[in-house]
Amino acid sequence: MGVWSAIQQFFRDAKITEYYVKISKEEFQGNLKRASDMCEQARQFVEGADLSEEVKQRNLAKIMAWQRDLQRKISLADPREVARERRRFF
């Protein structure tokens, strides 16, 4: 693996980690819809990234499971909470 390749891989990994941190933060703060939207952005990034198929599938599985869990939480959330989040970000 060349130096340039190693540098590119480092920044791709860092970007994926950044998505995980941001999604986790939004979920912790109760911004479930925003966290779910960020899962979609992370999924698109991973699908388009130049990753090995194993790494891509592992990350996609993690993101999709997280997004399903967020969607479940949104469906169970109090409608007032969902409306509060929409007003706050839109």
Side-chain angles (χ1 to χ4, degrees):
M1 177 188 292
V3 173
W4 181 245
S5 229
I7 291 170
Q8 287 178 317
Q9 183 176 351
F10 171 80
F11 282 106
R12 277 192 304 270
D13 291 347
K15 185 67 174 177
I16 292 169
T17 301
E18 179 184 5
Y19 274 116
Y20 289 159
V21 169
K22 286 181 177 182
I23 293 166
S24 181
K25 175 185 167 217
E26 292 298 335
E27 182 180 15
F28 180 75
Q29 292 178 341
N31 303 321
L32 302 178
K33 175 70 173 119
R34 187 169 171 125
S36 180
D37 292 344
M38 291 179 97
C39 282
E40 181 62 27
Q41 293 172 2
R43 184 188 62 78
Q44 290 173 0
F45 175 79
V46 169
E47 285 178 343
D50 184 25
L51 299 166
S52 73
E53 202 56 38
E54 176 189 342
V55 171
K56 190 178 283 193
Q57 290 306 316
R58 186 176 63 236
N59 280 291
L60 286 174
K62 189 182 301 185
I63 291 166
M64 291 167 74
W66 202 349
Q67 190 170 27
R68 280 192 304 272
D69 184 52
L70 288 167
Q71 290 298 322
R72 182 188 59 78
K73 288 178 181 179
I74 290 169
S75 70
L76 298 174
D78 182 2
R80 291 179 301 220
E81 278 299 305
V82 174
R84 175 200 60 85
E85 185 181 343
R86 284 194 185 117
R87 280 194 312 273
R88 195 165 151 208
F89 291 107
F90 299 106

